[in-house]
Amino acid sequence: MPCIEVEGLTHVYFPGIPLETVALRDIELTVYDGEFIALAGAAGSGKSTLAQHLNGLLLPTAGCVRVLGRDITDKEYRQQLWRQVGLVFQFPERQIFSPTVFEDIAFGPRNMGWDSITVNKRVKETLALVGLPEEIQDEDPRTLSGGMLRRVAICGVLAMRPQVLIMDEPGAGLEPAARQLILTSIKEIQSQQGITVILITHHLEDAAVFADRVAVLHQGELLSVGKTGEVLSQTRILHKAGLKAPFAVELAQRLNELGIKLPTMPLTVEEAARLLYGLIKTTGAGSGGVQ
Ligand SMILES: Nc1ncnc2c1ncn2[C@@H]1O[C@H](COP(=O)(O)OP(=O)(O)OP(=O)(O)O)[C@@H](O)[C@H]1O
Ligand SMILES: [Mg+2]
């Protein structure tokens, strides 16, 4: 079932004056219920502009965006959209001003109109979902590490139980381990609760591990969209978009040039190692081992 339908979407900032910028041009994209889709592209390619149309923060200059079957230009629906589509901005911790972690996470749920018992319950549940201890709710957010603070900020959106979660570069500026931790828990939430996740990233290694499908933006245009394995194998398109293909894909292509053909295209280093090991075992090559 389609969850978000984007048809012929064009967005122009400052139309008609010298600052005019065409940020999106004629985008066609369908996001399906319960899928994990990565939206990839270099800086300035239009990722955040597209994301802000999906929860009604921006309106199309031309074209149409439907979320859960309804047009976002419908005024009444647009005012409700934030309840269904949660958007985690880039560096969301910059918007944390509450004295305690609890107060910060409870802000959204209170706006939903839930009573204090439900709000308390949601805060606790959400902390557990992202692997944070319950006691953290009494702490001052300013005392937390970067990775923990980011998780708290994401909790603020997750606690509203959105049907669609959009995350704009949730791992930006974090250590790889912290980035991995966040994405792993979001993936778990997506598969357990059936929510739809849109991950904005320029790290295709993350898309390779977590996404079902990938859409590639380049200078406001959609260059490619499809299953993760298909899109991430299109190295020429990825390079055109200013993106680096996952290391495993580059490795497989270099091996192919040397006449070593892996049976399928690996997307992760683990997969590449497994395929290469299988090949060595069946052909008997490399039996001398590495000295
Ligand atoms: N508020 C704005 N006003 C005017 N122009 C904008 C605004 N936001 C973005 N743009 C321009 O629109 C284009 C797309 O920007 P956008 O922020 O959507 O790209 P992005 O892919 O999210 O980039 P990044 O990876 O740097 O976050 C760029 O040319 C940018 O300069
Ligand atoms: Mg952006």
Side-chain angles (χ1 to χ4, degrees):
M1 278 282 285
C3 163
I4 293 175
E5 296 153 285
V6 177
E7 287 170 10
L9 171 63
T10 293
H11 190 85
V12 183
Y13 287 107
F14 304 117
I17 61 169
L19 283 173
E20 176 174 299
T21 307
V22 182
L24 295 173
R25 206 185 296 267
D26 207 13
I27 303 288
E28 298 282 333
L29 178 69
T30 304
V31 177
Y32 296 95
D33 257 344
E35 76 169 331
F36 193 126
I37 185 167
L39 192 57
S45 58
K47 305 180 296 293
S48 299
T49 304
L50 179 55
Q52 289 172 71
H53 282 81
L54 308 185
N55 81 340
L57 277 180
L58 287 176
L59 289 178
T61 306
C64 160
V65 177
R66 273 191 304 277
V67 178
L68 304 166
R70 291 182 68 179
D71 195 317
I72 59 158
T73 53
D74 176 331
K75 228 176 172 178
E76 203 181 304
Y77 184 50
R78 194 177 171 207
Q79 282 167 359
Q80 299 295 319
L81 211 48
W82 61 273
R83 293 173 182 268
Q84 282 152 344
V85 182
L87 174 60
V88 179
F89 288 98
Q90 233 167 332
F91 300 106
E93 60 277 10
R94 289 183 185 158
Q95 284 152 34
I96 293 184
F97 300 106
S98 307
T100 64
V101 167
F102 177 85
E103 286 300 317
D104 183 71
I105 301 176
F107 183 80
R110 280 188 187 132
N111 273 342
M112 298 286 280
W114 295 335
D115 60 55
S116 62
I117 296 175
T118 311
V119 170
N120 286 350
K121 192 164 158 263
R122 289 279 185 269
V123 172
K124 283 198 182 74
E125 279 170 6
T126 313
L127 283 170
L129 278 177
V130 302
L132 288 172
E134 199 179 311
E135 308 79 70
I136 207 176
Q137 60 181 336
D138 301 321
E139 304 222 358
D140 179 341
R142 286 166 301 187
T143 62
L144 302 179
S145 71
M148 281 216 179
L149 198 55
R150 182 73 54 85
R151 277 193 277 166
V152 166
I154 293 173
C155 274
V157 174
L158 273 178
M160 293 187 277
R161 295 284 180 274
Q163 267 174 269
V164 182
L165 177 69
I166 308 171
M167 294 187 298
D168 201 344
E169 299 273 5
L174 297 183
E175 297 283 319
R179 203 172 80 210
Q180 205 69 10
L181 206 63
I182 287 175
L183 291 175
T184 307
S185 48
I186 296 296
K187 181 76 189 175
E188 264 173 41
I189 295 168
Q190 179 246 346
S191 42
Q192 279 168 17
Q193 303 185 351
I195 63 168
T196 307
V197 175
I198 302 172
L199 169 70
I200 296 180
T201 184
H202 57 258
H203 265 287
L204 293 182
E205 306 280 348
D206 291 343
V209 176
F210 297 102
D212 305 314
R213 290 198 307 144
V214 178
V216 179
L217 277 174
H218 173 55
Q219 296 177 354
E221 291 183 29
L222 197 61
L223 275 192
S224 180
V225 58
K227 293 223 170 76
T228 302
E230 284 162 21
V231 175
L232 298 191
S233 311
Q234 301 165 340
T235 39
R236 219 173 296 161
I237 291 180
L238 298 179
H239 291 167
K240 183 179 172 196
L243 295 167
K244 217 164 151 306
F247 173 74
V249 172
E250 299 276 3
L251 176 69
Q253 291 185 342
R254 291 297 93 74
L255 287 171
N256 196 25
E257 285 161 19
L258 296 170
I260 303 166
K261 212 166 161 40
L262 297 180
T264 55
M265 177 60 80
L267 296 180
T268 61
V269 173
E270 290 73 21
E271 223 176 318
R274 194 174 47 76
L275 291 171
L276 207 49
Y277 177 74
L279 204 64
I280 291 167
K281 278 203 97 175
T282 48
T283 60
S287 53
V290 179
Q291 298 299 310

